[in-house]
Amino acid sequence: MTPEEKRQFIKEFGITAELFDEMYAECLEELRQRYGEFQTALAVADVAALRAAAHAMKGVAGNFRLHGVQGAAAALNEYLKAGGPLSGMGGLAEDLAAAMEAIGVEHQ
Amino acid sequence: MIEKKILVVEDSASTRNLLASVLKAQGFAVATAGDGKEALDIISREYFPLVLTDLEMPVMGGHELIRNLKGLDFEPVVLVLTSHDEIETVIDIMKEGVFDYVIKPMKADDLIMRINRALTVAEFKKNQHIIEKEKTLRLEQQLEWYRWEERQKTRGKTYSSQSLFSNLRTSFNQGAGLGMLVTLLSIISETAKQDDSGSWLVDDEIFQVLKKNLAMAQSVIERFAEVEWVITNTLPLEALDSTEVYSLIKDTLKSCVPFARLRNHVLMLNDYRIPPQAHVVQVNADFLQTVIKELVINALKFSEKGTNIVSMFDLKGGIAELSIINVPQRSNDEILGIPTEYENIIFEPFFRMGRDVHEEYGSHDFGLGLTLVEKIVQKHNGKIFMHNITDHTDLKVGPQTKVICTLQLPAEALRRT
């Protein structure tokens, strides 16, 4: 999130910068946790858990205007909802990994 | 007035905290739950007019929560917050009877606007529920009243004629208009002095008060004439569609807004959806406006400062019904609202619940307004009731007395051609 995006967010939601920092850290922690769940589900090919994790990441990232993660998680969610095979979602999973890296959340 | 109280149900801690912070900053009282089960637990202890819930949650999701809320005594209005933006999901959500939905990512302005709208609906919904709950109780009380009245009659005197004469006597001695006029004339006859030319000299101050009271007395006589005219004449009625009746109510409420501002009252009217089958109501628009205005002004005069006057219009089994609910303030005579023993006599001429005077509303305070209202309603073949109801929804404050006035007019369904 750029400083300008942060400023806009604070203005829109009428919160203080301190509160934003606190909630943003909480958001990143939650994304890290959900991404962990996503990776675990991927390892055991649990499609329902994959979808649940992608869906949750899309919502959390969207609320905090993390558009990269939101878009990548939404694309994965759509792909899985349409019944796409796990073998064919490599590119989408890589997009999500890249988006997560961009916001400073590393691979587990 | 309904509390701006919201229960936020969301499993994502960051989203939950963001929502709570934003809503608190906007003056809402907020409680949070991480899933549907936790939410039901909170609701079992405390009433929330509005529940803002996510759908996908562990333990108990939003769909199950919504189904469980349906069985509650006081069902909250539900607003769904979801990442699902597919049209089928949205339709499914609405079919479950939720009021509205917000698609994530949420936008602060949009969210607040929808929440305020939902809280307004919650207020109407709550009042509607209270009315329904009171119906059984009222039937029992009504029966008691008839029994009591019968007992009085068998003793050789009717309560109504007794009260009429006693009210006539008190009303004419309440310090304004006719009562004051008599007093002033007594003072003048005792204190006025005659000058050399034989003319009578009257103190200027007394003369000014006399003039003011003369105007009051004249307007009371005009009101008498109005009541008499309604009693002795047939009102020309015209068939108005129920939506036109609703518009007439809406316009009349608008005309009452300046009076509502006097003591920071808010006039509220429900949305009226066009019914599947058209209904007409036989009304005299001018007189019906007089009735509504009189009832609203009456509610304003006797309401707690800064409260809502809630009006609800609906069609129910061939009846067009307007209910006006207000939060009464205790009068100087320590009367709250309309105690049961007064329900059947409040429409009698000169009957007044208290001695408070409300000149700022441009009313006479002679106890003729509701008499006129009742006579007009009778000429419409309608009915009117006014009584106290009890709101049990606020557990912190406890049972709260409100006053409801229900106006019923016959409505006829139009045949489809």
Side-chain angles (χ1 to χ4, degrees), chain B residues 320-339:
Chain B
E321 186 175 284
L322 171 68
S323 300
I324 301 173
I325 300 171
N326 68 293
V327 181
Q329 68 177 5
R330 210 167 274 283
S331 71
N332 289 339
D333 300 328
E334 285 300 304
I335 297 171
L336 185 65
I338 303 164

Side-chain angles (χ1 to χ4, degrees), chain A residues 9 12-15 19 23 26-27 30 34 51 55-56 58-65 70 77-78 81, chain B residues 10-15 17-18 21-22 25 54 56 81-86 88 104-109:
Chain A
F9 189 92
E12 182 187 347
F13 286 93
I15 55 174
L19 190 57
M23 287 192 293
E26 201 169 35
C27 162
E30 204 170 323
R34 296 289 191 190
R51 266 196 71 189
H55 178 82
K58 171 187 153 189
V60 173
N63 284 337
F64 285 85
R65 311 298 188 252
Q70 182 198 351
N77 189 36
E78 284 301 311
K81 200 170 88 179
Chain B
E10 166 68 66
D11 63 324
S12 158
S14 61
T15 306
N17 292 339
L18 176 62
S21 304
V22 171
D54 188 14
E56 309 283 330
L81 184 67
T82 177
S83 304
H84 290 289
D85 50 4
E86 309 89 1
E88 314 85 69
K104 292 179 193 171
M106 61 206 176
K107 291 182 176 65
D109 288 353

Side-chain angles (χ1 to χ4, degrees), chain B residues 167-303:
Chain B
N167 290 326
L168 274 168
R169 196 176 61 245
T170 41
S171 300
F172 278 83
N173 287 290
Q174 279 171 357
L178 296 176
M180 183 62 116
L181 205 57
V182 173
T183 310
L184 287 166
L185 289 171
S186 306
I187 294 171
I188 290 169
S189 67
E190 283 167 20
T191 60
K193 288 172 185 158
Q194 216 166 8
D195 67 6
D196 297 340
S197 66
S199 300
W200 288 94
L201 295 170
V202 179
D203 181 87
D204 182 56
E205 208 175 329
I206 293 176
F207 186 68
Q208 293 308 326
V209 181
L210 181 69
K211 270 168 67 180
K212 191 183 169 194
N213 279 269
L214 179 66
M216 278 285 283
Q218 275 172 336
S219 76
V220 170
I221 288 164
E222 280 164 20
R223 182 51 73 101
F224 267 129
E226 210 176 343
V227 176
E228 191 191 12
W229 191 90
V230 172
I231 292 171
T232 52
N233 288 277
T234 305
L235 296 189
L237 304 178
E238 56 173 328
L240 288 191
D241 183 80
S242 63
T243 54
E244 291 175 310
V245 176
Y246 175 77
S247 299
L248 186 140
I249 294 168
K250 200 172 181 178
D251 291 343
T252 313
L253 286 178
K254 271 186 199 163
S255 75
C256 294
V257 168
F259 296 110
R261 289 198 184 119
L262 290 172
R263 292 195 302 130
N264 298 324
H265 290 118
V266 177
L267 298 179
M268 298 173 77
L269 176 65
N270 65 326
D271 286 329
Y272 178 63
R273 289 181 185 169
I274 299 169
Q277 190 174 10
H279 281 71
V280 291
V281 186
Q282 297 292 334
V283 300
N284 181 302
D286 291 340
F287 277 99
L288 186 58
Q289 276 186 312
T290 302
V291 165
I292 297 162
K293 189 169 180 185
E294 192 68 43
L295 294 176
V296 172
I297 298 286
N298 198 61
L300 289 169
K301 284 197 288 193
F302 300 108
S303 287

Side-chain angles (χ1 to χ4, degrees), chain B residues 69 100 119 132 215 225 246 256 283 313 320 324 334 381 383:
Chain B
L69 292 176
D100 204 355
L119 279 170
E132 295 300 325
Y246 175 77
C256 294
V283 300
F313 176 72
I324 301 173
E334 285 300 304
N381 299 313
K383 289 178 184 169

Side-chain angles (χ1 to χ4, degrees), chain A residues 12-83:
Chain A
E12 182 187 347
F13 286 93
I15 55 174
T16 63
E18 291 74 30
L19 190 57
F20 171 84
D21 290 340
E22 202 179 297
M23 287 192 293
Y24 187 68
E26 201 169 35
C27 162
L28 293 185
E29 182 49 39
E30 204 170 323
L31 284 174
R32 189 193 314 276
Q33 188 193 327
R34 296 289 191 190
Y35 191 44
E37 288 167 11
F38 179 83
Q39 287 172 314
T40 306
L42 188 60
V44 295
D46 182 345
V47 177
L50 274 171
R51 266 196 71 189
H55 178 82
M57 289 176 80
K58 171 187 153 189
V60 173
N63 284 337
F64 285 85
R65 311 298 188 252
L66 298 170
H67 303 302
V69 177
Q70 182 198 351
L76 266 166
N77 189 36
E78 284 301 311
Y79 178 83
L80 292 166
K81 200 170 88 179

